[in-house]
Amino acid sequence: MNRYLISLEARTPGDMDPEIRADLFARTREMLDDEYAQDFHRVVGKQAVVGIVEMELPHEFIAGLPLFPWLEVSVVALARR
C-alpha cells in the first residue's frame, strides 16, 4: 500500500438546497469514517478535512465520495525519508 496526504475542501454552491447539502456532507462523512475514521481530521474554520492514509487508488476512492463534484482535492504521495 502507498501512503498519501489527502486534503478535501468542500465548495458547495450557495444556492444548493440545504437538505441536499446536509445529506451529501453526511454521506461523505460516513464513507470517510467507515474506512479512515482515525486518519482524517477536520480543518478548523473551513469545510475541509486532511489526512494521511494508506491505500492503493486514492483517486478512485475520492471520486466515489458523494461530495466529489464540489470538492477541491489535493493528493500528495508520501515516502519515508
Side-chain angles (χ1 to χ4, degrees):
M1 290 248 189
N2 299 311
R3 184 173 277 188
Y4 298 93
L5 170 64
I6 298 176
S7 174
L8 307 171
E9 184 168 357
R11 305 265 184 187
T12 54
D15 62 349
M16 179 180 275
D17 181 294
E19 288 182 20
I20 292 172
R21 183 179 172 280
D23 179 62
L24 289 169
F25 272 90
R27 290 189 296 130
T28 298
R29 192 175 307 115
E30 183 177 300
M31 285 181 69
L32 291 174
D33 288 348
D34 284 350
E35 296 290 326
Y36 304 100
Q38 300 300 315
D39 300 318
F40 278 94
H41 304 275
R42 190 175 66 81
V43 177
V44 176
K46 294 185 177 188
Q47 292 182 333
V49 294
V50 295
I52 296 176
V53 297
E54 289 187 17
M55 61 174 63
E56 288 299 320
L57 303 168
H59 295 87
E60 286 185 15
F61 176 75
I62 294 166
L65 294 172
L67 269 173
F68 177 71
W70 300 278
L71 290 176
E72 184 176 305
V73 176
S74 170
V75 178
V76 178
L78 302 174
R80 297 218 181 263
R81 30 176 219 126

